[in-house]
Amino acid sequence: MEVVIQSSAAALAELAADTIERLLTAKADTVLGLATGSSPLAVYDELVRRHQAGRMSFARTRAFLLDEYVGLPTEHSERYRNVIERGFTDRVDFAAGAVHAPDGDAEDLTGACAAYEAAIEVAGGVDLQLLGIGTDGHIAFNEPGSSLAGRTRIKTLTAQTRLDNARFFGGDVDAVPLHCLTQGLGTIMAARHLVLLATGVGKAEAVHHLVEGAVSAMWPATVVQHHPHVSVLLDDAAASRLRLADYFRQVWADKPAWQVL
Ligand code: F6R
């Protein structure tokens, strides 16, 4: 696991965008895994800037979202498919049909989950997966107690996650759906490179467990300690509970110029 600590979210976004730009240059038909929520927003803005500057094209890229709420009407502004289109994919040149999300509106939700796993497989798997982390240590919507090997399935959101996400629903926690479809930790672990972003002191405890805690379903993100290629990008506040923070800063400062995330 590589942990990079920077003083601004903008610097983290640059790093993540550099990594994605390098990947797309090497492999135009890259499969990206996209997260919603606030953590990756600056990354998406930076990718849009680079696209507008003529540096990057997503015309051959395919994308898979991590998760989707169950039961929000198609046009609901907080449906994750709408969120990602508004915040990123409609602002660049993805081809029609290239962006996939679990179908939280399906009559057969279990079938929709199996179909989603199959679609990722057919695409050749995810090359780079962007991740945020919940204050309770979830990634995607794998809440505490989730199987460390789970696949895309229906989950019930915790009270904490619904409280955290109420800010997207006008502060009304009751408007936040109770259920979601989410890639499992097993699905996420199959991606070839994981890039996790966390900013703010509210994430410090979860980040401490992610990087330095014991692997446990109680802090689901800890499973990524078993992944061979993980980049954890943190601002100072999110890194504030890391015992190894000084070491990680030193490693980054001494990094040879040729070594990339
Ligand atoms: C969103 C997702 C979630 C968020 C997490 C952090 O697709 O999978 O795991 O990444 O809840 O959310 P923010 O970034 O809003 O703090």
Side-chain angles (χ1 to χ4, degrees):
M1 179 184 293
E2 177 167 47
V3 179
V4 181
I5 305 168
Q6 303 276 290
S7 50
S8 76
L12 301 173
E14 287 256 346
L15 273 177
D18 288 348
T19 308
I20 294 169
E21 184 174 358
R22 249 189 327 269
L23 181 61
L24 261 67
T25 304
K27 186 182 181 219
D29 62 344
T30 285
V31 179
L32 287 179
L34 302 178
T36 46
S38 48
S39 303
L41 290 180
V43 180
Y44 297 144
D45 285 344
E46 181 59 25
L47 292 173
V48 170
R49 257 193 299 279
R50 293 181 190 202
H51 168 70
Q52 287 169 347
R55 276 171 64 175
M56 293 180 75
S57 169
F58 297 84
R60 293 183 54 205
T61 308
R62 285 139 314 147
F64 287 86
L65 268 61
L66 280 173
D67 38 22
E68 182 59 276
Y69 290 117
V70 167
L72 289 186
T74 316
E75 68 287 354
H76 195 289
S77 65
E78 290 312 315
R79 242 186 130 206
Y80 277 170
R81 172 179 277 287
N82 297 334
V83 170
I84 205 75
E85 285 177 358
R86 204 166 57 232
F88 178 41
T89 58
D90 279 0
R91 299 166 68 201
V92 294
D93 59 343
F94 277 95
V99 179
H100 304 265
D103 184 1
D105 256 356
E107 268 185 33
D108 173 11
L109 290 171
T110 306
C113 293
Y116 200 61
E117 285 283 329
I120 295 173
E121 184 88 28
V122 167
V126 171
D127 292 301
L128 184 147
Q129 177 66 58
L130 282 173
L131 295 166
I133 185 170
T135 55
D136 62 2
H138 70 230
I139 51 174
F141 277 138
N142 294 281
E143 299 284 28
S146 291
S147 160
L148 299 181
R151 292 282 166 172
T152 304
R153 67 213 182 292
I154 307 162
K155 286 291 286 183
T156 302
L157 298 176
T158 61
Q160 180 63 54
T161 297
R162 294 180 74 223
L163 210 56
D164 287 345
N165 287 5
R167 68 191 193 281
F168 297 117
F169 291 80
D172 178 8
V173 71
D174 294 328
V176 183
L178 196 52
H179 297 103
C180 63
L181 303 186
T182 180
Q183 287 190 28
L185 296 171
T187 319
I188 292 167
M189 289 290 282
R192 289 180 269 281
H193 183 191
L194 306 180
V195 177
L196 186 148
L197 291 121
T199 55
V201 72
K203 299 292 174 71
E205 185 185 14
V207 165
H208 159 65
H209 285 280
L210 160 74
V211 178
E212 299 174 337
V215 175
S216 158
M218 283 308 288
W219 291 92
T222 57
V223 73
V224 309
Q225 292 178 24
H226 285 297
H227 194 287
H229 192 186
V230 186
S231 307
V232 177
L233 309 184
L234 307 173
D235 70 357
D236 292 319
S240 58
R241 286 199 47 193
L242 290 183
R243 275 179 232 143
L244 296 174
D246 288 344
Y247 170 70
F248 293 133
R249 287 193 176 94
Q250 187 68 48
V251 170
W252 184 251
D254 292 345
K255 199 175 165 89
W258 48 264
Q259 201 179 328
V260 293
L261 290 182

